[in-house]
Amino acid sequence: MTVQTTSDRPSKLAGYDFYRQILGSPKLIVAPMVDQSELAWRILSRRYGAQLCYTPMINAKMFSPPSANSYRAQAFNTSLQEEGSTTHDRPLIVQFCANNPSQLLTSALAVQDHCDAIDINLGCPQDIARKGHYGSFLMDEWELVYELINILHLNLSIPVTAKFRIFPSIEKTVAYAKMLESAGAQILTCHGRLRTQRGQNTGLADWAHIKAVKEAVGVPVFANGNILFYEDVLRCMEETGVDGVMSAEGQLYNPALFAPAPCQDPGSTLKGAHPPHAELALEYLDIVKSLKTPTATSAVKGHLFKIMRPALSREIDLRERLGRIRGSNVVEEYIEVAKEMKERMERDVAEAMEGGKTIDDLITIEPTTGIRVLPHWLSQPYFRPLKSPTDDLKRGSSPIPISHEDVKRPKLSVESAGGEIGVPL
């Protein structure tokens, strides 16, 4: 994928010209996630197939002067010349949440030379977004949303994009998307869930809404929701016609979500990569150590709990050790836990693979969901039952795709769940 840098890019491009010439036509995209799509994670993600990454959500009010210096160093640190660098952090879109157009513009101007576009968060459904009056809680204020996008469109040297949630009706969702486009958004990311679908009510993303948005607008559209396995990416693109697929939680539990299986067995049910999670944890920690840019301890711990989750429920002592780690030397202590996990998982692999068994022989099907459960030493999606599954099914949501065409799906549906730390957007 050929990507142009700031120094050799042409004048400001829009729509598909921007998508193709600046971003390199990405199809595999890491979502903006609070405290979880930080620089170290973006580097790891790109190693495993991610073609475009978003920063964690940045609060435009806090990023603006006069008290912005400490927050800027934490949220998007350009002083150390690693975040947004053309050598290992591009293409990159910086996401802001905001409700004040002038504050948003001030913050966006401060980072426009260190990224390829500015994204506006119109989708966060969390209580903090309600209190701060941003994200999905601006969905009913179309004039304000228009102004937030338009002021960036008219004043930045790079494009503005937007990520949003759907309304109950397809018609209103489409009208909203067309308004975002008319305001100047050059890429739209449609998260196919309602504002109320969060936590235990997360439920399924509705691909029908995403497809309708794609058919109604003239700018590139990314889909977000229901991506658990590698093969779900292609299925989503086929069913919705979108230009790219974004993942949040699915990619957090398996940072290799966007990578094909290294040695493809035509008879295997696994078309994507599911590396040993302890090895991924160690690789991530090695990246954290190598950077001058500090990585928040909360981010590191959150990633480790998610990556190694399949085994942490079994290796109780390691889970407790991981949770207790504090102090100034935490990365080295995290490495020791991950190394111990690696040794135990290698022991379990040796025992389980006796007699010539394959990974497919060890895959089971969760009885209430029909979703594959991989051996506990492999990275894999995590999901939880819906609080009210019948209500979700009545809403007509697209089912979560599975690769076993011969497995009949029971009536209970599931979706990937939120982790211990970090809020997917």
Side-chain angles (χ1 to χ4, degrees), residues 25 99 119 121 126 163 241 256 318 327 375:
S25 302
N99 56 31
D119 186 73
N121 181 331
Q126 306 299 326
K163 184 172 186 289
L318 293 184

Side-chain angles (χ1 to χ4, degrees), residues 34-97:
V34 173
D35 203 25
Q36 297 280 263
S37 55
E38 84 292 346
L39 176 62
W41 189 258
R42 298 195 297 269
I43 293 173
L44 179 68
S45 301
R46 295 181 199 276
R47 290 182 181 178
Y48 288 93
Q51 298 168 334
L52 170 64
C53 295
Y54 284 62
T55 67
M57 181 191 72
I58 300 171
N59 189 308
K61 180 179 179 180
M62 297 175 65
F63 204 79
S64 299
S67 58
N69 289 341
S70 60
Y71 181 73
R72 287 189 179 188
Q74 172 190 347
F76 191 66
N77 190 327
T78 59
S79 64
L80 297 173
Q81 301 182 340
E82 291 178 329
E83 293 213 73
S85 72
T86 57
T87 56
H88 55 253
D89 197 26
R90 295 291 186 91
L92 178 71
I93 295 181
V94 173
Q95 189 191 68
F96 285 101
C97 66

